[in-house]
C-alpha cells in the first residue's frame, strides 16, 4: 500500500503571527562622519575667525543626500555654536545632520522612523520582532520597537518564527 504524500503546510504563513522587521525601515543613504578637528588650530583650539573662514571655503556639496555625523576626535573644548554653524552649512545638502558617531546617527534615524509609525496593525496580535538582518540595525532600535509594540501587541517574541524567544505577554484582565 502506497503512503499518501502529505501536503506541506506553512503554518507560519497561515498564522496570525505578525512579523516586525526593522530592516524594512532601514533608511537608505550613505552615512558619513566629519571630524571637526580639521578646523581647529592644532586640532585642539577653536579660533573663531579662522574657523569661520575654513567653513566658508569648504566644499559642502560633497555631502549631498548623505546622513552626516559630526564629532571631535580630540579632547578639545568646542562650543555648541560651532556644531550649529557647521550644521548651517550642511543643511542645504545633507539628509540629516547630528552630533555624535555613526552609530549614534543610525540610532537617531531609527528613533525618528519608529516614533512616526502607526502600530495599530499589531493590535491584540502575537508579534515577532525579526532578529536577523543584512543591514546594520542598532540594538537600540530593537529596544525602541519593543517599547512601541508592548502597548498594542498580545505577545512579543524575538528571532525567527521557527526559533523565537518569548519576551512579553500582555496580562489578562
Amino acid at each position: 500500500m502506497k503512503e499518501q504524500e502529505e501536503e506541506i503546510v506553512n503554518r507560519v504563513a497561515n498564522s496570525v503571527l505578525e512579523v516586525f522587521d526593522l530592516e524594512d525601515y532601514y533608511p537608505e543613504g550613505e552615512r558619513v562622519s566629519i571630524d571637526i578637528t580639521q578646523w581647529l588650530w592644532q586640532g585642539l583650539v577653536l579660533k573663531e575667525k579662522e574657523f569661520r573662514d575654513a567653513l566658508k571655503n569648504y566644499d559642502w556639496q560633497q555631502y549631498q543626500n548623505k546622513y552626516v555625523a559630526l564629532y571631535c576626535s580630540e579632547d578639545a573644548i568646542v562650543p555648541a555654536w560651532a556644531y550649529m554653524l557647521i550644521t548651517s552649512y550642511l543643511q542645504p545638502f545633507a539628509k540629516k545632520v547630528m552630533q555624535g558617531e555613526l552609530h549614534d546617527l543610525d540610532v537617531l534615524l531609527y528613533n525618528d522612523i519608529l516614533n512616526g509609525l502607526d502600530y495599530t496593525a499589531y493590535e491584540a496580535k502575537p508579534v515577532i520582532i525579526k532578529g536577523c538582518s543584512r543591514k546594520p540595525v542598532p540594538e537600540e532600535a530593537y529596544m525602541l520597537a519593543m517599547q512601541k509594540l508592548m502597548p498594542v501587541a498580545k505577545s512579543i517574541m524575538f528571532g525567527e518564527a521557527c526559533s523565537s524567544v518569548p519576551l512579553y505577554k500582555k496580562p489578562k484582565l
Side-chain angles (χ1 to χ4, degrees):
M1 198 170 164
K2 258 188 182 179
E3 277 188 43
Q4 288 185 339
E5 289 185 31
E6 287 187 34
E7 182 181 343
I8 297 174
V9 177
N10 185 340
R11 290 184 297 164
V12 173
N14 293 336
S15 75
V16 294
L17 183 66
E18 292 286 334
V19 177
F20 189 84
D21 188 352
L22 284 162
E23 192 173 60
D24 291 343
Y25 302 103
Y26 183 80
E28 295 297 334
E30 186 178 351
R31 287 133 170 86
V32 295
S33 58
I34 300 174
D35 184 354
I36 71 162
T37 59
Q38 63 185 307
W39 300 305
L40 303 178
W41 180 69
Q42 295 186 346
L44 293 171
V45 177
L46 188 146
K47 290 185 172 184
E48 186 175 348
K49 183 181 180 338
E50 290 85 353
F51 183 75
R52 287 181 178 275
D53 288 343
L55 296 182
K56 193 183 317 178
N57 297 314
Y58 191 75
D59 175 22
W60 298 104
Q61 289 185 344
Q62 65 183 305
Y63 300 104
Q64 185 71 46
N65 295 320
K66 295 180 182 176
Y67 297 105
V68 181
L70 302 173
Y71 74 100
C72 183
S73 62
E74 295 295 329
D75 191 20
I77 297 171
V78 180
W81 66 260
Y83 289 100
M84 295 167 68
L85 185 60
I86 296 168
T87 300
S88 74
Y89 282 100
L90 283 165
Q91 184 61 36
F93 305 105
K95 285 184 178 180
K96 188 162 206 80
V97 180
M98 60 85 58
Q99 182 180 348
E101 302 288 335
L102 287 175
H103 175 79
D104 303 321
L105 177 60
D106 275 330
V107 171
L108 177 68
L109 293 172
Y110 266 103
N111 277 335
D112 289 351
I113 291 164
L114 294 177
N115 283 326
L117 291 181
D118 177 8
Y119 294 90
T120 56
Y122 303 99
E123 188 78 39
K125 294 182 181 174
V127 177
I128 184 162
I129 300 174
K130 188 174 177 209
C132 295
S133 113
R134 292 176 296 279
K135 296 179 180 172
V137 177
E139 287 184 27
E140 293 88 342
Y142 289 97
M143 295 168 61
L144 182 57
M146 183 73 179
Q147 292 174 62
K148 295 294 185 179
L149 288 165
M150 279 181 68
V152 295
K154 177 181 177 182
S155 62
I156 302 173
M157 297 168 279
F158 175 77
E160 301 298 322
C162 61
S163 62
S164 60
V165 177
L167 300 174
Y168 168 78
K169 190 166 191 154
K170 186 170 277 205
K172 292 183 180 179
L173 300 175

